[in-house]
Amino acid sequence: MNTDAATTRAWIQPAYGGPEVLEQRTIDPPAPGKGEVLVRVRATALNSADAKILRGKPGVLRLGFGLRRPRNPVRGMDVAGTIVAVGEGVDESHLGDEVVGEISGGGGGLATHTVTRFDRVVPRPAEIDAVTAAAVPLAGGTAWQALRLAGVGAGSRVLVIGASGGVGTYTVQLAARSGAEVWALCGERNRALVERLGATRTFDYRTNGPESLPEGTFDAVIDIAGKAPLRVVQHLVREGGCVVMVGGEGDGPFGPIGRMLHALFRSIGSKRRFRPFAARATASVTSTLLEMVARGELAPVIERTFTFDEARDALAHVDAGHTVGKVVVRVED
Ligand SMILES: NC(=O)c1ccc[n+]([C@@H]2O[C@H](COP(=O)([O-])OP(=O)(O)OC[C@H]3O[C@@H](n4cnc5c(N)ncnc54)[C@H](OP(=O)(O)O)[C@@H]3O)[C@@H](O)[C@H]2O)c1
């Protein structure tokens, strides 16, 4: 089988740590197993999850990704590229397909070639370039699923906390497009951007945080930043409303788990409920979002692109926590 991957280069993470642990190496080409495909990577978008796995923090994530070092040492979950080999059970007619998706295995995109389950990728519409397409799956899918869980739609008033990052820029656009009235908290420098994306009212989280907003104002709060006191966030929603808990680092080895348990406790007997939330990679949602992008109904916000050789700097930028929209590595340049 010609895998077209004789010289696979990859950014390897041999241990948990900061971006300085990353090393670029030439590795054996990965081989697609049953139900898998080998993708020649064109572009890989980074997410804050990549930075968390890089550092192995919070410690609880090491239970899933490897106790002493990451089992999969290559970061990068959102990939656009070309299928160059197929494993058992995948039809050879897919060779040469341009695809995009949140790949299986918890990473692999910061490499010239990567393997993923075939059912995790979808065709890339011809109107969308690889960099733009790669920016869609994880952050866009998270926004889509969080808004569905909250029941946001025409006539809702929703508050997005953390509106300027990867997930936030999609959440604001999708909520506004659904007909909801969107209020948003972001840094002062990003207020104009977030208003262009569809927010009718924006507030600088550093000077006018959630505690300055009127109680009982929202049908739903999508809390992506996850830093405001639970008591404050809970009282922002009206009776019958909910707070979807998307993000937040939390303290200590258990990360956000303590905050989530506390939130569930606060929900008992309350008419203002917290909804802990974990997005699931869903190819059909990626397809839907890509179609919206192709029709001009959704515009991925891409703050910066980096070359493959600059991938360490790209991860350092995401790790710093001040990304505006998405960061994408142009692997094929
Ligand atoms: N539950 C799930 O399934 C799921 C899925 C995806 C992501 N997440 C989580 O969601 C969180 C956000 O992810 P992301 O990829 O969107 O992150 P990101 O792109 O790194 O978000 C960075 C943005 O957040 C803004 N920000 C930081 N603190 C803020 C605060 N207190 N209030 C308002 N805005 C704030 C920053 O603005 P400034 O630069 O002005 O500070 C920056 O623009 C992370 O904790 C991530 O792990 C969860």
Side-chain angles (χ1 to χ4, degrees), residues 48 52 138 142 161-168 185-187 189-190 205-206 224-225 227 245-249 277-279 318 321-325:
S48 52
K52 288 178 182 173
L138 195 154
T142 300
I161 306 180
S164 55
V167 177
L185 281 161
C186 57
R189 71 190 171 114
N190 295 316
Y205 75 87
R206 292 181 177 88
I224 301 165
K227 291 174 185 158
M245 304 177 74
V246 176
E249 314 309 315
F277 166 77
V318 172
H322 297 291
T323 308
V324 182

Side-chain angles (χ1 to χ4, degrees), residues 15 21 23 107 135 178 217 254 312 325:
V21 303
E23 299 166 8
S178 75
T217 304
F254 295 104
R312 187 195 282 129

Side-chain angles (χ1 to χ4, degrees), residues 184-185 188 191 202-213:
L185 281 161
E188 181 64 29
R191 285 180 60 199
T202 58
F203 303 88
D204 176 4
Y205 75 87
R206 292 181 177 88
T207 54
N208 288 301
E211 53 287 337
S212 69
L213 299 178

Side-chain angles (χ1 to χ4, degrees), residues 258-330:
R259 182 175 167 90
M260 288 199 180
L261 291 174
H262 186 190
L264 287 174
F265 182 72
R266 290 192 69 94
S267 295
I268 297 171
S270 170
K271 293 183 172 136
R272 300 175 169 93
R273 302 194 59 186
F274 286 96
R275 309 290 299 265
F277 166 77
R280 293 181 52 207
T282 312
S284 62
V285 173
T286 301
S287 268
T288 302
L289 295 172
L290 288 170
E291 284 162 19
M292 291 179 72
V293 175
R295 289 195 298 268
E297 298 168 2
L298 180 68
V301 175
I302 297 173
E303 178 190 8
R304 255 179 99 174
T305 67
F306 291 79
T307 65
F308 184 68
D309 285 344
E310 296 168 336
R312 187 195 282 129
D313 300 333
L315 255 173
H317 184 64
V318 172
D319 183 49
H322 297 291
T323 308
V324 182
K326 300 297 300 172
V327 163
V328 183
V329 176
R330 305 185 315 272

